[in-house]
Amino acid sequence: MDVNAAVAAAAAIAGLCTGVIAMLAFRWSERDQARPTRTSLHTDAVLPPGVDTVLSVLRSSAVVLDESDSVVKASSAAYALGLVRGGKLAVEPMLHMARDTRRDGEIRQVELDLPRRGTGRGEALAVSARVAPLGSRLVLLLVEDLTEARRIEAVRRDFVANVSHELKTPVGALSLLSEAVMDASDDPEAITRFAGRMQIEASRLTNLVQELIDLSRVQNDDPLEDAEPVRVDELVAEAIDRSRHPASTKQITMAAGGTADLYVWGHRGQLAAALGNLVENAVNYSPARTRVGIAGRRVAAPGGDLIEIAVTDQGIGISEKDRERVFERFYRVDPARSRATGGTGLGLAIVKHVAASHGGEVTVWSSEGQGSTFTLRLPEAGAVRDRAAPDIAGPDDDAVDEPPYDTFPTAHDSTTVLPAPEVLP
């Protein structure tokens, strides 16, 4: 009986100990769950009320640092720019600014050039950093990406410099030629020669001013405000007529071909100017007794059919290094030849802007010594095609095979089409 009592007493003591241990573990778990975590300290308890919401809507990259220089809050843009890595501010000059601001409470701002992450090309990322105290212990860093603004400013400066240079050349020539005319007042032959040169320079100046106006117009105007269905055949005929005289002077044959009755949607004047510039360039940069061809066709695309208008020449061609820059303003592959042909260096820039504003693009394929093909791609005026097809081409128009782009237009065949598009990029 004494043994049974001892066993019972031992069991009771063991149960009591187990209960005490379980109660202590439960209390410890509750206290541990109630204790604020590192994350909650950095976001909820540390940041002043409403700051998190404000930072989330700012366009600038935002970083909040605590007294130990740890990142309390950082926007996704700050991570994208590479400002924050491993919970720390990775840009040393900004970190020094934050420490100075935490020490004296003064707002600081600086512009920096940071290495761009992941490009491997050594490109700099221009940023403006502003540091200000946030409460008693935190520091707020706002970073603005200035790279695109810097690029636009550089383009503007280059444009102004190039315009000044281009205007100065014909104006200076006119000034010198007028002085020569005055000095040769008793020499009719010299006066005639100088007057002819003055006409050439005046024409070049007029063309430059007009192309500057055209470029400004296509950049600032919305061509789709006055958009209408434009027939490609009419654009091609107008472009050929515009370059007919210089082509006949050089005995260059111009031939049109491709699919008939194509329509694009856009501003007729701008589209005519763009295609006219392509044909004019083809004529100007082609040797005598060669051919220039213009052809249009319809190509299928995911967002809707496109109209391709290709202008092909047998000219001097464009080197690979120049191909990427031919659409820049005032860029000339051969400056000496451009001045001889009266080019301003703005024609292809106008073509590029017109194509982009109409929802299309312009591309170039070229081989030195063999010629070039400039292709203007524009969205088709689909509604016009659907409405005009039964009246223009009959109900079976879709069943008619389009001629392949496999032969160059000849002098006697205006319906033959251009070289195969597979050589185009």
Side-chain angles (χ1 to χ4, degrees):
M1 190 71 181
D2 294 337
V3 174
N4 291 335
V7 171
I13 293 172
L16 180 62
C17 292
T18 303
V20 171
I21 293 173
M23 184 181 64
L24 291 175
F26 178 75
R27 293 288 187 181
W28 181 270
S29 176
E30 281 190 331
R31 187 173 62 178
D32 188 62
Q33 290 179 3
R35 182 184 303 160
T37 62
R38 178 183 178 88
T39 304
S40 63
L41 280 172
H42 285 324
T43 56
D44 299 329
V46 176
L47 284 179
V51 172
D52 195 7
T53 303
V54 173
L55 295 181
S56 64
V57 299
L58 287 178
R59 298 181 60 182
S60 304
S61 302
V63 180
V64 179
L65 303 176
D66 61 13
E67 62 272 14
S68 62
D69 292 333
S70 297
V71 175
V72 176
K73 177 73 177 178
S75 64
S76 58
Y79 286 99
L81 291 178
L83 303 179
V84 178
R85 298 176 192 171
K88 294 289 185 180
L89 186 62
V91 183
E92 199 66 26
M94 295 181 186
L95 189 58
H96 290 316
M97 288 174 55
R99 291 169 179 169
D100 293 340
T101 297
R102 186 185 300 111
R103 185 179 62 253
D104 55 25
E106 293 185 4
I107 298 176
R108 289 174 169 81
Q109 184 170 352
V110 67
E111 291 188 3
L112 300 171
D113 290 333
L114 307 178
R116 192 187 294 268
R117 298 179 61 190
T119 61
R121 293 179 293 179
E123 296 180 350
L125 188 69
V127 298
S128 173
R130 185 178 180 87
V131 182
L134 183 64
S136 59
R137 296 184 300 164
L138 303 180
V139 172
L140 172 62
L141 171 67
L142 296 177
V143 180
E144 190 78 23
D145 188 356
L146 303 179
T147 307
E148 184 65 15
R150 290 257 189 102
R151 188 191 67 80
I152 294 175
E153 179 63 20
V155 170
R156 187 192 66 81
R157 287 197 306 267
D158 292 343
F159 181 73
V160 172
N162 286 327
V163 168
S164 301
H165 175 73
E166 295 295 333
L167 290 174
K168 182 180 179 180
T169 301
V171 169
L174 286 172
S175 177
L176 292 176
L177 288 170
S178 63
E179 294 179 3
V181 168
M182 294 178 62
D183 295 338
S185 56
D186 55 349
D187 188 349
E189 183 178 348
I191 291 178
T192 302
R193 186 172 67 255
F194 293 144
R197 288 294 305 167
M198 291 178 70
Q199 288 182 340
I200 294 175
E201 296 298 336
S203 176
R204 177 177 296 172
L205 182 60
T206 301
N207 292 338
L208 175 59
V209 172
Q210 183 59 50
E211 290 201 346
L212 286 172
I213 294 173
D214 292 341
L215 181 60
S216 176
R217 182 178 294 118
V218 300
Q219 286 181 316
N220 296 328
D221 294 349
D222 182 4
L224 301 184
E225 288 183 358
D226 302 319
E228 60 179 330
V230 182
R231 187 167 177 167
V232 174
D233 293 343
E234 296 177 357
L235 294 177
V236 172
E238 186 174 337
I240 290 177
D241 188 64
R242 170 177 165 178
S243 299
R244 191 177 302 279
H245 176 69
S248 62
T249 302
K250 299 173 66 175
Q251 300 180 23
I252 293 176
T253 301
M254 292 192 295
T259 306
D261 300 321
L262 299 177
Y263 287 82
V264 293
W265 185 264
H267 190 284
R268 179 184 178 83
Q270 292 189 12
L271 293 173
L275 186 58
N277 285 343
L278 292 179
V279 175
E280 186 177 10
N281 273 3
V283 171
N284 289 339
Y285 288 92
S286 293
R289 293 178 293 279
T290 56
R291 297 184 184 127
V292 170
I294 310 99
R297 69 168 183 170
R298 181 186 299 111
V299 294
D305 289 350
L306 297 176
I307 301 301
E308 283 189 352
I309 310 173
V311 179
T312 300
D313 62 62
Q314 296 174 315
I316 59 175
I318 305 171
S319 66
E320 184 177 357
K321 68 180 181 64
D322 292 319
R323 250 171 262 160
E324 297 180 357
R325 302 191 60 191
V326 292
F327 296 103
E328 295 180 11
R329 305 168 188 171
F330 297 110
Y331 185 79
R332 295 182 174 93
V333 176
D334 185 352
R337 186 179 180 88
S338 297
R339 295 195 181 281
T341 58
T344 62
L346 290 175
L348 292 180
I350 293 175
V351 175
K352 178 182 177 181
H353 282 289
V354 170
S357 62
H358 283 75
E361 63 173 351
V362 58
T363 59
V364 57
W365 172 90
S366 185
S367 179
E368 290 187 85
Q370 297 183 20
S372 306
T373 297
F374 285 84
T375 303
L376 188 62
R377 295 185 180 94
L378 299 167
E380 183 183 18
V384 175
R385 176 192 171 191
D386 297 339
R387 184 171 62 250
D391 301 330
I392 297 176
D396 296 327
D397 179 57
D398 291 339
V400 178
D401 292 334
E402 296 182 3
Y405 276 34
D406 56 3
T407 56
F408 198 94
T410 63
H412 307 290
D413 185 4
S414 62
T415 61
T416 313
V417 291
L418 290 176
E422 57 266 18
V423 298
L424 296 174

